[in-house]
Amino acid sequence: MTVERISLHNEDTTFSVCIIGDAGGAHVASRISAMSEQSVELHLLTSRPTSLNLRDVSVVDAGDGLQVPPFLKWHRAIKDSAGDVVNIHYANSWGAWVFALSGDRRAMVLTVMGGDVLLEEQSKPHPLAVWLTRLVIQRADLITVKSSHLADVLSAQGVKQDRMTRLNWGIDRSIFKPGQRASARQTMMLPKNSFVVFSPRILNSFYRIDVIVRAFAQLKPKENDVILVISEYEADAGYKEYLEDLARSLGIFDAITFKARMTAIEMATMYQSSDVVVGIPPSDGFPLTILEAMACEVPNIVAPLKTYREMLVANDNIIFALPNPENLATAMIQLRENDQLRDGVIQGGVKFLESLPNLDQSASSLIAYLMRFRKSNTHNQTKLFTRCLGWFVLLGFSLRYCMSRRHAKRQLSQRTGSGVS
């Protein structure tokens, strides 16, 4: 385990927070960065080292290895961590599971993201992983949710209303804002006069990018008049190959561009280059990509999920489309040909954003919630028997994980001919 100090200690800081979250993910990293600008000292435990230049943060790289089981790394990191209060981002993770079983007495505020509590809808995890995640939820002294739908899901799991609070996470409006399309397209190397469709979501099968590709094919792109740009964020290499083969079979390969992982500024430039943004997963929390597109004055097409319909209005600030190629293509064509509809949705999105906090305000709200527990020990400690049982479960998961990693390493060595066993 390596510990990287990337900030100076502020002697005036009287409140500190231990954060457990994947700082390699764009949204968690942006939240931590915003929190670091407040009057609070942060200590970050992360599965992937962050590339952010953060102030007042100690980053503990508790990344998964092949020699030491992941849960032992996490336990050591948690035991050694500073912080008056613990804030966990994403409940379905090694760090969250280990903390719930660690016996740590510090109060914990859980920030749920969506997929970590919509498990049956999304990842279909092992039943024991669901059990561990629910231990994290039970262990939390307070849970912040970004939609009533997520609150309802937690209520169904036995979480009382007084342990939940609504916290909408905003975006950095200094980055995500309207821009000049011509210069943005020049920066992103896109044709000046094309109709640009952008898919910003994670590049794996859950997000149904293949449906977007099939819908795009119905626009019959030719001579760069229509371009589909697909983000490679957290890309599944096999799924990308499938999409490339699909595009070739549909005769639209030359009209599709894949963009490697982009910085926040590059993402904003990509939005500014786009005519429409599309995201149609079968289940979701409330993604920041919708807000980012709105801030850059680009209309969104999304599936009519319950969590979206709670806050968004069809043909006012969003375009809803059933997640099949025909309906999706119809929605794209409407936005390409109907300027009144397009302009109305853009203005509706701008108005909707005015009702939401920006990123700094959201970070300030979270810190205010955390400070309620600054001198408190938890009353939701996981029972000793449950903790012991949980450690056995984590041991089994760790053994399976390490074996799969070693198998993958051997396969890679065989493919590259390196001879490493």
Side-chain angles (χ1 to χ4, degrees):
M1 182 190 308
T2 60
V3 178
E4 180 187 0
R5 300 285 179 179
I6 58 175
S7 66
L8 297 176
H9 179 69
N10 184 348
E11 294 181 353
D12 296 329
T13 298
T14 58
F15 178 58
S16 61
V17 179
C18 172
I19 298 179
I20 298 175
D22 180 10
H27 296 319
V28 172
S30 67
R31 294 174 183 184
I32 296 170
S33 180
M35 291 174 69
S36 73
E37 299 297 324
Q38 309 287 327
S39 298
V40 60
E41 180 182 297
L42 303 182
H43 303 271
L44 173 65
L45 277 60
T46 177
S47 58
R48 292 186 290 181
T50 178
S51 60
L52 294 174
N53 182 23
L54 303 176
R55 295 181 294 121
D56 302 322
V57 179
S58 298
V59 179
V60 180
D61 179 5
D64 301 332
L66 295 178
Q67 304 301 321
V68 180
F71 77 92
L72 291 180
K73 281 191 161 188
W74 276 107
H75 186 262
R76 190 182 310 161
I78 290 168
K79 182 179 179 181
D80 294 342
S81 67
D84 303 313
V85 181
V86 175
N87 177 213
I88 295 180
H89 291 255
Y90 207 80
N92 183 34
S93 63
W94 279 102
W97 294 341
V98 173
F99 180 81
L101 301 173
S102 67
D104 194 302
R105 297 291 299 173
R106 287 174 292 181
M108 184 265 277
V109 175
L110 173 63
T111 301
V112 298
M113 309 280 281
D116 51 342
V117 293
L118 300 173
L119 294 173
E120 286 78 4
E121 293 182 17
Q122 295 197 9
S123 54
K124 307 296 183 186
H126 192 284
L128 289 175
V130 175
W131 176 71
L132 287 168
T133 301
R134 287 181 175 167
L135 290 183
V136 177
I137 292 169
Q138 294 168 10
R139 170 62 176 80
D141 295 275
L142 182 70
I143 303 175
T144 68
V145 297
K146 54 187 176 179
S147 71
S148 297
H149 177 56
L150 293 181
D152 292 341
V153 170
L154 290 171
S155 293
Q157 296 179 17
V159 179
K160 295 182 179 180
Q161 290 295 324
D162 61 1
R163 282 207 300 126
M164 291 186 285
T165 189
R166 183 71 172 262
L167 176 58
N168 292 101
W169 276 96
I171 57 175
D172 189 341
R173 299 295 296 275
S174 69
I175 295 176
F176 297 98
K177 57 188 178 182
Q180 294 296 323
R181 180 172 297 172
S183 61
R185 289 192 175 183
Q186 184 176 12
T187 300
M188 301 309 291
M189 296 182 291
L190 294 170
K192 180 179 179 180
N193 297 316
S194 296
F195 182 81
V196 177
V197 179
F198 179 36
S199 168
R201 304 304 298 273
I202 293 174
L203 185 54
N204 66 37
S205 59
F206 177 79
Y207 289 90
R208 302 193 285 206
I209 314 298
D210 55 298
V211 177
I212 298 175
V213 170
R214 293 181 187 278
F216 177 76
Q218 297 191 22
L219 275 63
K220 303 186 184 305
K222 57 184 179 181
E223 298 179 0
N224 285 335
D225 65 331
V226 185
I227 299 290
L228 172 60
V229 179
I230 300 175
S231 169
E232 292 188 49
Y233 181 62
E234 305 284 6
D236 179 326
Y239 187 60
K240 180 186 175 184
E241 292 178 4
Y242 165 71
L243 293 178
E244 290 174 332
D245 290 341
L246 176 62
R248 289 188 184 95
S249 70
L250 295 171
I252 58 170
F253 182 76
D254 292 338
I256 295 180
T257 298
F258 290 90
K259 289 288 184 183
R261 177 167 178 162
M262 294 174 273
T263 65
I265 293 175
E266 290 169 337
M267 279 291 289
T269 306
M270 187 59 238
Y271 287 122
Q272 294 162 1
S273 303
S274 305
D275 291 286
V276 60
V277 171
V278 186
I280 53 167
S283 172
D284 214 345
F286 194 92
L288 293 182
T289 52
I290 290 178
L291 305 183
E292 291 167 353
M294 286 178 173
C296 295
E297 298 190 355
V298 185
N300 288 279
I301 300 175
V302 299
L305 301 180
K306 180 178 180 180
T307 189
Y308 295 166
R309 289 187 281 112
E310 174 187 326
M311 291 182 276
L312 302 175
V313 180
N315 299 332
D316 176 78
N317 52 26
I318 204 78
I319 297 294
F320 287 126
L322 294 176
N324 59 62
E326 293 72 25
N327 281 274
L328 204 54
T330 298
M332 292 178 188
I333 293 170
Q334 285 179 328
L335 287 173
R336 182 175 63 175
E337 298 179 353
N338 189 333
D339 291 339
Q340 184 176 0
L341 174 63
R342 173 185 171 80
D343 292 343
V345 171
I346 289 173
Q347 293 307 311
V350 171
K351 185 176 180 180
F352 174 69
L353 281 176
E354 293 174 355
S355 67
L356 299 177
N358 59 35
L359 179 61
D360 291 338
Q361 290 169 330
S362 300
S364 180
S365 295
L366 177 58
I367 290 172
Y369 291 130
L370 291 165
M371 290 190 73
R372 295 181 185 178
F373 301 96
R374 63 184 304 176
K375 296 182 179 179
S376 302
N377 286 332
T378 185
H379 298 292
N380 297 322
Q381 186 63 264
T382 306
K383 293 180 180 179
L384 180 60
F385 174 79
T386 303
R387 286 163 49 197
C388 292
L389 183 59
W391 286 119
F392 278 110
V393 171
L394 287 183
L395 176 60
F397 280 172
S398 291
L399 292 174
R400 186 174 66 173
Y401 174 83
C402 291
M403 290 175 63
S404 66
R405 287 288 298 272
R406 290 192 178 99
H407 178 68
K409 186 177 180 180
R410 283 197 297 269
Q411 285 188 324
L412 179 62
S413 298
Q414 292 170 358
R415 287 198 300 267
T416 60
S418 65
V420 179
S421 60

